[in-house]
Structures are given as structure tokens and as C-alpha cells.
Amino acid sequence: MGQKITVEAGVLKVPDNPIIPFIEGDGTGPDIWRATRSVVEFAVRKAYGQSRRIEWKEILAGEKAFKTTGEWLPQATLDAVRDHLVAIKGPLATPVGGGFRSLNVTMRQALDLYACIRPIRWFEGVPSPVRHPEKVNVVVFRENTEDTYAGLEWSAGSPEALRLREFLACELGCRVPEDAGLGIKPISRTATRRIMRKALRHAVDSAQRVITVVHKGNIMKFTEGSFCQWCYELAQDEFGEVVVTEAELASSGLTLPGGKILLNDRIADNMFQQVLTRTDEYRVLVMPNLNGDYFSDALAAQVGGLGMAPGANIGDHVALFEATHGTAPKYAGLDKVNPGSLILSAVMMLEYMVWKEAAEEIVQAVAATIKQKKVTYDLARMMEGADEVSTSGFAEAIVANME
Ligand code: NAP
């Protein structure tokens, strides 16, 4: 019988037999989940013998939930994640345009998982479109609840859009075309400060030397511009002892003192160049929701694509770890796709639980497997002399490297 993870005095307390809810996911979700589970179970056994063990608890979302309960995202699922504090999920399908709202976005908002955290690093041997993928070693902190993802949008010609258009014209003197769909992009000081706090806390805890705010504040002054300004404000209010801004450094003419963190900001379009041309100058990136979506995938492309990119959505304590790619439906049930993203998300989960030995076992074994060129089709097609393996074959190779 497992026990629940709890929080005591603001600190996560993980028992030796924690109950961890999982959502298998749609499409290729079951394939990558099976692979991930076998790798995690082996790593925990290897690291701790019989003394620690995860008690998995299946919870439902997506197609499996709909078939079983008639609901895409049952309240019981949200309650279970909230109640158990740490959970892991495969990808869930969302129709484009009409249909229901993204279940992923709904879960993040319902559980107030305001920080989307995506570490992006290269594993030696993974084929990459850039010449120096080893220079990529960043963690993206993406605000998860606001911006154009807030769900405040209305289709062209709908009564809501027409009413909003009329309000804009009559009350604010703003003209928008009658046939325009309309959306609202809220960015608040409160949400900005809490994502910046999490990013800075990470930078301090992992002894990083630089943190960068990425925004488009030159154009969207009162949303992204304010985001940038509020990030600086929070840094000064709560991390003033350790943070030095780029402007302060330039005016002093000095180099960054030891133990300090450089805080700078970059406009998003420039930053897309910077992560390619001056990659190793960046370590922790903090940004609003939409920028974060673009940057995490663009950076993942530099280190081998979405198949290797892990992610977590974390609130004050509740944490939901997930593959960052989608359901890749054309490969569903074929035992073909790369489970790396979900496996590395599980590594993040083990680190969050402070089960660092098990996490490290997996990282070492993934690195060794890739070096042996035992990879799934997505990497094999870009790698000379690759030994292409299936989803389950990749997991077996990782386990063999832990043995
Ligand atoms: P996708 O499922 O990520 O797939 C796009 C392409 O990326 C695949 O065709 C495949 O490329 C590659 N890919 C994705 N996962 C891979 C893996 N594990 N291993 C190797 N290659 C992988 O994106 P999509 O087709 O745009 O979205 C499909 C559905 O997923 C949609 O309903 C979308 O809303 C949903 N989605 C969910 C999440 C989530 O749950 N967090 C995130 C994104 C999208 P090749 O065809 O080149 O092999």
C-alpha cells in the first residue's frame, strides 16, 4: 500500500512508497508510457533496492476517459493530481479550431500550474541541425496561465465579438474589422512575479550565472513590456543581494562578481537569433506563455527534436510532468516513437521528489544508449550507422545499460 506525498511547512515530504497518479495519454501515449514506467521502476530498484517503490495509480483523461466516463477530463482526475501533488502524463489530443478546449491547457489552469519548466540539453551523439548542440544547456520558465492562452477569444461575427467590437469603438475609440475574430492577452503583475520568482529560485539553487527575460515589449508595451519590467522589479525586491543587471554591469565597467547572477532581457525576435548564434551565453530563460511555447520547441529542435524534450508544469506544490510533444496519432500503437521526452520528464519528477540517485541512473543510461546508436526512427533517420529500435526496444536498451 502506497502513501501520499504531502507538504509540511512548505516542504515536499516524499514517503518511500509514494502513490503517483499517471495519465497514459492519447495516440502514442500508451506506447511511451509503458516504456517510461519500465525504465523508472528499474532505476528506482537499482538505486534503492527494496527500500523505495512507486505505487502507480491510473487516472483518466482524453479518449480513454471519454470512453469510460463520458467526460474528457473528469473532475476526479483533477482532484487526484491536486491531492497527490506529483503526477505524470502522456500527451492528450486537441482538435484545431472548433471542438473542446485543450485538455492540457485546462489542466494547467484548473490546477494553477503556473510554471511550465523545460530543461533543454544535448545528449552526445544525438543528431542535430546545428554545429554545436553541446552549447545548448538552458531551462525555459514559461508562464502557463495567461497571455493568449487565457482562453479569452471569440470567433469572427459571434455576438460576443460584435459586442466587444462595439465596446472598443464606442468606449475606447478603437476600430477593428467587423469580420475579425477577437482575443484578449492578459498579463498580470501577480502572475509575472510568481514565474520570475520560480525562475530566479532555480537560478540560485543551481548556481547559474545568468537569467534572461524574453519578451516583445517594444510592441506590446503594456503586456510583454510590463512583464519585463515586473521581472526586474521582483528581482530587485526579493533577490537584490544576488542579482546584478546588465545595465549595472555595463555602467560599472566590471565583470560579473563571483556568486552573483546576471539579469538581462532580450526582445523575442532577436532572441531567436541569439539562441543560435550565442547559444552558450544563456542558461535560464523566463518568458510569457506564447513566447515560451515557441522557444521551448525551437530550442528542442537544436538538441534532436521533441522526442527528447522533457517538461513539467508546476504550481506552488502540485507538479504535473509531461512529454512536451503531442500524440503523434499516425504512429499510435506501432511501438515506434521515441519515449525519450516522457522518460526525461520522469527524470525531472524524480529530481523534484529528491530521488536524485534514480534520476541520475536514468540520465547515464539514456546517454549510454544513444552513444551505442540504439535509437528510435526519429533519431535513426538522421544518424549514420544507427541501430534503429522500437519504443519498447529503446526502453529495454536503457534498462540493459543500468544493469
Ligand atoms: P505531435 O503529436 O507532436 O507530432 C508532430 C510530429 O512530431 C510527429 O508526426 C513526429 O514527426 C514528431 N514526433 C512527435 N512525438 C514524437 C516522438 N515521441 N518521437 C518521435 N517523433 C515524434 O504534434 P501534432 O501532430 O501537431 O499534434 C497531434 C495532437 O497532439 C494534437 O491533437 C495536439 O493538440 C496534441 N498535442 C498535445 C500536447 C500535449 O499533450 N502536451 C502537445 C502538443 C500537441 P514525424 O512525422 O516527422 O516522424
Side-chain angles (χ1 to χ4, degrees), residues 89-107:
K89 69 177 271 293
L92 295 169
T94 310
V96 177
F100 57 81
R101 210 163 155 229
S102 160
L103 299 180
N104 304 300
V105 175
T106 306
M107 288 185 88

Side-chain angles (χ1 to χ4, degrees), residues 32 89-95 104 108 306-307 322-331 337-338 377-378 381:
I32 61 172
K89 69 177 271 293
L92 295 169
T94 310
N104 304 300
R108 291 170 200 164
L306 291 179
E322 67 172 356
T324 55
H325 55 72
T327 59
K330 66 183 173 186
Y331 300 121
V337 296
N338 188 348
Y377 83 97
D378 52 316
R381 67 188 167 188

Side-chain angles (χ1 to χ4, degrees), residues 13 75 121 323 371 380:
K13 292 276 171 212
Q75 184 60 41
R121 57 160 285 193
K371 262 197 182 162

